[in-house]
């Protein structure tokens, strides 16, 4: 079983890099600022429970996920630290939110009222963080322009509801990861609006223990936005444009092994649609990785994977479960050798740019079929085969 996991397709999760990235951010924010690690979407594909356990031992203050299901996965995995649900939870589930000791985002007065009513019925108090929409135009109390006074009043009313504990308040930046002058000024506008809302609430006697807004982009650029807590995601995983400048290290690498090698004559069409035809005799490797594992089909015929001896170009269409590569120039590559999709030779950042997307999408796309190998000091400490819904060893 172990051999099979090792010698097919797998993602390596470098827990030392994760610890390093956490500590680097800690150093940057200083001792007075708390750290919330964003572990939504299975910790950006890295494994939410494993990442959360590591953060818990490192002294991280808070975690965030997108849904109640993700939060329950953490609690089931033994995570006891505070967990904020960033997205919507149906108010009918309030009893569970309280039972699992979770913090719910509240983005409108009507929802606050529904949560408070349900919490009262459950005989408990629901801890909440108020979400303010300062310009992302997604979730949050409207406070822009003519909505300011009504928005502040609505937040104050929500916080005064009997069965809610308004521990925190936050907003989210849309463009904090950009150095373009118009993006810098937009971020500053968002931040000023957020602080104006905080001031207006303070004038009404309303204050919060945890005010937060800094995602990874703001962590890198805007120390003035750290307030009580920062909220990075992609920086924790060592990815994004700011990661190299911050000295962060990518946590995930993706590998697949050559399962078969065949030699084809000239003019042999390869894979679906016969997109590629061998111009001459070619030595071709078949890899057990395809778009169902997270290798984007749009890479067909244009990406190179990395062998220990040099790059191996992908030939023809990437299939659901398999991919062909040219090994003609790499006579030393044998069946069983591992090829890197992304990792030390080809960064996930670079690969995302090549695919005209962001590294977030690339790591989130690594599917549950791909086993995760957790590495510490060069050794595998845990293998997780999520297709079985459990840890393997
Ligand atoms: C995803 C998310 C983050 C983390 O963003 P990064 O760009 O990965 O740092 C922070 N806050 C909220 C509300 C989010 O949804």
């Amino acid at each position: 079983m172990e051999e099979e996991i090792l010698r097919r397709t797998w993602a390596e999760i470098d827990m030392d890099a994760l610890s390093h990235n956490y500590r680097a951010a800690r150093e940057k924010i200083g001792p007075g600022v708390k750290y919330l690690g964003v572990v939504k979407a299975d910790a950006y594909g890295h494994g939410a429970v494993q990442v959360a356990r590591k953060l818990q031992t490192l002294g991280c203050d808070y975690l965030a996920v997108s849904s109640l299901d993700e939060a329950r996965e953490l609690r089931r995995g033994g995570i006891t630290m505070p967990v904020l649900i960033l997205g919507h939870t149906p108010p009918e589930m309030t009893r569970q939110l309280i039972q699992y000791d979770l913090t719910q985002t509240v983005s409108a007065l009507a929802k606050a009222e529904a949560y408070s009513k349900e919490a009262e019925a459950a005989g408990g108090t629901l801890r909440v963080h108020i979400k303010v929409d300062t310009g992302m135009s997604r979730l949050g109390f409207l406070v822009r322009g003519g909505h300011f006074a009504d928005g502040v009043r609505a937040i104050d009313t929500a916080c005064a509801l009997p069965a809610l504990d308004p521990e925190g308040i936050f907003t989210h930046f849309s463009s904090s990861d950009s150095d373009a002058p118009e993006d810098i000024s937009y971020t500053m506008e968002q931040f000023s609006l957020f602080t104006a809302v905080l001031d207006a609430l303070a004038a009404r006697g309303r204050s919060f223990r945890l005010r937060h807004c800094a995602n990874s982009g703001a962590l890198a650029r805007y120390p003035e936005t750290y307030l009580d807590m920062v909220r990075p995601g992609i920086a924790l995983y060592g990815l994004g444009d700011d990661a190299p400048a911050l000295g962060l290290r990518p946590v995930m690498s993706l590998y697949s092994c050559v399962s078969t090698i065949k030699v084809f004559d000239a003019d042999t069409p390869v894979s679906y649609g016969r997109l590629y035809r061998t111009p001459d005799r070619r030595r071709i490797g078949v890899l057990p990785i395809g778009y169902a594992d997270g290798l984007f089909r749009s890479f067909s015929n244009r990406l190179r994977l990395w062998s220990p001896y040099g790059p191996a170009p992908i030939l023809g269409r990437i299939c659901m479960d398999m991919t062909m590569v040219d090994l003609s120039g790499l006579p030393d590559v044998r069946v069983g050798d591992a090829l890197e999709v992304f990792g030390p030779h080809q960064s996930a950042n670079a690969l995302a740019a090549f695919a005209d997307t962001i590294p977030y999408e690339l790591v989130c796309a690594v599917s549950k079929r791909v086993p995760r190998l957790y590495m510490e000091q060069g050794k595998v400490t845990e293998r997780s085969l999520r297709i079985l819904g459990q840890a393997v060893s």
Side-chain angles (χ1 to χ4, degrees):
M1 172 66 103
E2 291 183 7
E3 267 313 282
E4 216 169 283
I5 290 174
L6 277 169
R7 306 319 298 179
R8 232 181 102 86
T9 291
W10 70 94
E12 280 181 19
I13 311 296
D14 180 350
M15 297 306 259
D16 298 325
L18 186 80
S19 304
H20 167 83
N21 297 342
Y22 171 80
R23 292 200 183 98
R26 259 287 182 225
E27 204 151 299
K28 190 166 168 58
I29 63 179
V33 177
K34 290 185 188 313
Y35 186 110
L36 175 151
V38 178
V39 295
K40 65 192 179 193
D42 200 23
Y44 294 36
H46 294 67
V49 169
Q50 286 85 355
V51 168
R53 277 186 195 142
K54 177 54 80 178
L55 290 177
Q56 191 161 274
T57 60
L58 288 168
C60 177
D61 301 287
Y62 231 108
L63 298 171
V65 294
S66 71
S67 67
L68 175 58
D69 287 342
E70 289 184 345
R72 287 173 53 191
E73 184 191 17
L74 295 181
R75 288 286 182 257
R76 263 210 318 267
I79 305 302
T80 53
M81 50 191 293
V83 176
L84 170 64
I85 298 178
L86 296 166
H88 173 68
T89 304
E92 309 88 85
M93 312 296 264
T94 301
R95 193 179 289 271
Q96 281 199 38
L97 291 171
I98 295 171
Q99 184 190 330
Y100 287 105
D101 195 21
L102 301 169
T103 308
Q104 175 60 43
T105 293
V106 168
S107 55
L109 180 55
K111 285 192 188 176
E113 286 166 346
Y115 285 130
S116 182
K117 203 167 134 245
E118 294 284 344
E120 251 183 311
T125 301
L126 178 64
R127 196 181 321 105
V128 298
H129 284 202
I130 300 292
K131 174 91 180 263
V132 185
D133 181 2
T134 57
M136 177 73 181
S137 307
R138 202 170 61 176
L139 289 183
F141 284 81
L142 274 173
V143 293
R144 292 188 91 198
H147 296 285
F148 187 84
D150 283 348
V152 167
R153 212 171 3 235
I155 293 169
D156 195 24
T157 306
C159 293
L161 288 166
L164 301 186
D165 168 19
E167 176 190 53
I169 185 165
F170 71 107
T171 194
H172 193 43
F173 296 129
S174 71
S175 315
S176 64
D177 57 350
S178 161
D179 289 316
E182 63 272 24
D183 290 326
I184 293 172
S185 59
Y186 193 79
T187 306
M188 286 300 100
E189 268 172 49
Q190 281 196 268
F191 185 60
S192 309
L193 180 53
F194 186 51
T195 53
V197 168
L198 294 176
D199 290 346
L201 286 163
R204 303 172 75 104
R206 177 74 56 196
S207 62
F208 298 86
R209 286 162 274 164
L210 295 174
R211 302 159 301 157
H212 50 107
C213 54
N215 54 4
S216 297
L219 172 72
R221 281 178 192 70
Y222 306 113
E224 66 271 35
T225 67
Y226 295 172
L227 303 178
D228 302 311
M229 184 160 77
V230 297
R231 215 174 57 229
I234 201 75
L236 180 58
Y237 307 106
L239 299 175
D241 293 341
D242 299 317
L246 292 172
L248 307 179
R249 286 158 38 193
V251 175
M252 188 193 292
S253 307
L254 182 63
Y255 299 93
S256 188
C257 277
V258 178
S259 71
T260 305
I261 297 178
K262 292 159 85 179
V263 177
F264 292 105
D265 294 330
D267 208 31
T268 305
V270 175
S271 195
Y272 287 120
R274 308 190 307 282
L275 206 61
Y276 176 83
R277 242 168 220 284
T278 52
D280 43 37
R281 236 172 112 80
R282 289 280 149 144
R283 185 169 178 261
I284 291 178
V286 184
L287 303 177
I289 184 171
Y291 58 79
D293 299 288
L295 183 61
F296 298 160
R297 188 169 172 274
S298 58
F299 287 137
S300 294
N301 232 0
R302 45 188 220 109
L303 182 71
R304 303 183 308 177
L305 306 187
W306 285 82
S307 82
Y309 311 99
I314 289 177
L315 300 181
R317 283 256 190 263
I318 291 169
C319 309
M320 185 183 289
D321 310 317
M322 286 179 247
T323 297
M324 276 61 82
V325 293
D326 191 0
L327 301 176
S328 307
L330 303 165
D332 294 326
V333 173
R334 300 262 174 266
V335 166
D337 282 356
L339 266 54
E340 173 192 313
V341 179
F342 60 81
H345 296 92
Q346 175 158 267
S347 71
N349 274 351
L351 201 57
F354 188 65
D356 199 18
T357 185
I358 51 176
Y360 301 69
E361 188 181 9
L362 206 75
V363 284
C364 283
V366 175
S367 75
K368 74 169 185 182
R369 189 165 80 178
V370 177
R372 270 58 166 184
L373 266 55
Y374 293 87
M375 314 285 296
E376 275 177 75
Q377 275 147 25
K379 286 211 180 71
V380 179
T381 54
E382 183 182 344
R383 297 180 174 81
S384 166
L385 189 51
R386 24 265 280 125
I387 202 166
L388 299 178
Q390 64 195 45
V392 169
S393 65

